[in-house]
Amino acid sequence: MYSRRHAGNEAYTTVQDSKERVAGFFTKYVDGWLLGDIRYCSPQEKNLSFTVATLVLNAVDFFASLYEGKDGKGEAFSLFLSKYMPSYVAIDADIKMYKTLRCGLVHQYFPKEHHGITWNAPAEHLKKVGGCYKLNAQSLATDLEQAIAAYKSDLDRDESLQVKFARRMRSVISADDFDGLLFGDGNAGHSATVEVFHNLFSEPARTR
């Protein structure tokens, strides 16, 4: 059960008393699905550079929203990079990775402005050639794992991050969002991901 605190007139929920829920989220969703899929794709012989990069950048986007406690899009994305993936800060300042790489891959399955994603070419990672950056997919994946581990370590002991985490997760599984994601247009009628969020973070906690 979450504890309730108040900031002005706003009631918010912390995860201080809900460590099992958070542990379950990281075990099932993060390690089992999100990172599990990336780990499966990264060693493949076939060039899956765009696939891995899309997964990684979407993961950064999601964890940025947890870090900020809201869907901050590009701004939160940059803040998360600055805190947990500092080697990307200079590139992000130059080309805005959220718009150029994340949105390019998600919406057109191709980086914008001719930037490139390489496969098994770590020596080319973060290099700028002819005005365009190259990011190696496997290096991105490794850096994401390290970033998530660092964020999780901070989350375990930083109450302000716990509040933001809880606020964001509650918004993901709010009644309207939950129904919309389960049964809304474009959905096959069931979302296992949202169901996991709902089971872990809705109040009251479900009896096991």
Side-chain angles (χ1 to χ4, degrees):
M1 182 72 66
Y2 286 108
S3 62
R4 284 284 188 180
R5 302 195 178 190
H6 295 272
N9 293 325
E10 178 189 7
Y12 61 84
T13 305
T14 77
V15 297
Q16 189 63 45
D17 301 321
S18 304
K19 291 183 178 180
E20 287 188 8
R21 293 184 183 190
V22 177
F25 167 76
F26 275 87
T27 297
K28 185 166 186 176
Y29 175 74
V30 178
D31 288 328
W33 297 353
L34 188 153
L35 291 178
D37 288 353
I38 295 171
R39 291 168 185 154
Y40 177 82
C41 293
S42 292
Q44 301 299 320
E45 278 190 45
K46 181 180 178 180
N47 187 331
L48 299 176
S49 55
F50 284 5
T51 301
V52 170
T54 301
L55 293 171
V56 169
L57 294 169
N58 275 323
V60 172
D61 189 23
F62 178 57
F63 272 91
S65 76
L66 296 177
Y67 176 65
E68 282 296 288
K70 60 184 179 180
D71 185 8
K73 299 186 178 179
E75 181 181 358
F77 191 98
S78 293
L79 289 170
F80 187 84
L81 291 180
S82 179
K83 177 66 176 179
Y84 295 109
M85 302 176 73
S87 59
Y88 296 84
V89 169
I91 294 177
D92 184 55
D94 192 12
I95 67 170
K96 298 301 178 187
M97 288 177 59
Y98 177 85
K99 179 180 178 181
T100 305
L101 298 178
R102 184 268 180 196
C103 291
L105 286 165
V106 168
H107 299 297
Q108 291 90 40
Y109 204 57
F110 204 85
K112 296 180 181 181
E113 301 176 8
H114 307 291
H115 300 290
I117 308 295
T118 63
W119 190 245
N120 281 326
E124 298 180 2
H125 189 55
L126 304 178
K127 303 297 184 183
K128 191 174 186 180
V129 179
C132 296
Y133 287 101
K134 293 184 178 181
L135 277 69
N136 181 59
Q138 287 87 353
S139 302
L140 267 174
T142 298
D143 292 342
L144 172 70
E145 293 229 21
Q146 294 173 350
I148 291 176
Y151 167 74
K152 176 60 166 59
S153 178
D154 288 346
L155 180 66
D156 286 341
R157 61 177 185 268
D158 187 332
E159 186 172 336
S160 66
L161 286 181
Q162 294 166 7
V163 169
K164 290 179 180 180
F165 178 95
R167 182 183 295 132
R168 178 59 180 150
M169 292 307 303
R170 293 281 294 153
S171 74
V172 170
I173 53 85
S174 66
D176 289 343
D177 289 344
F178 184 55
D179 290 342
L181 285 168
L182 279 179
F183 308 114
D185 293 339
N187 191 278
H190 180 76
S191 170
T193 303
V194 177
E195 187 174 6
V196 167
F197 291 169
H198 196 268
N199 290 344
L200 286 170
F201 295 102
S202 59
E203 286 193 292
R206 296 188 178 186
T207 303
R208 297 183 180 179

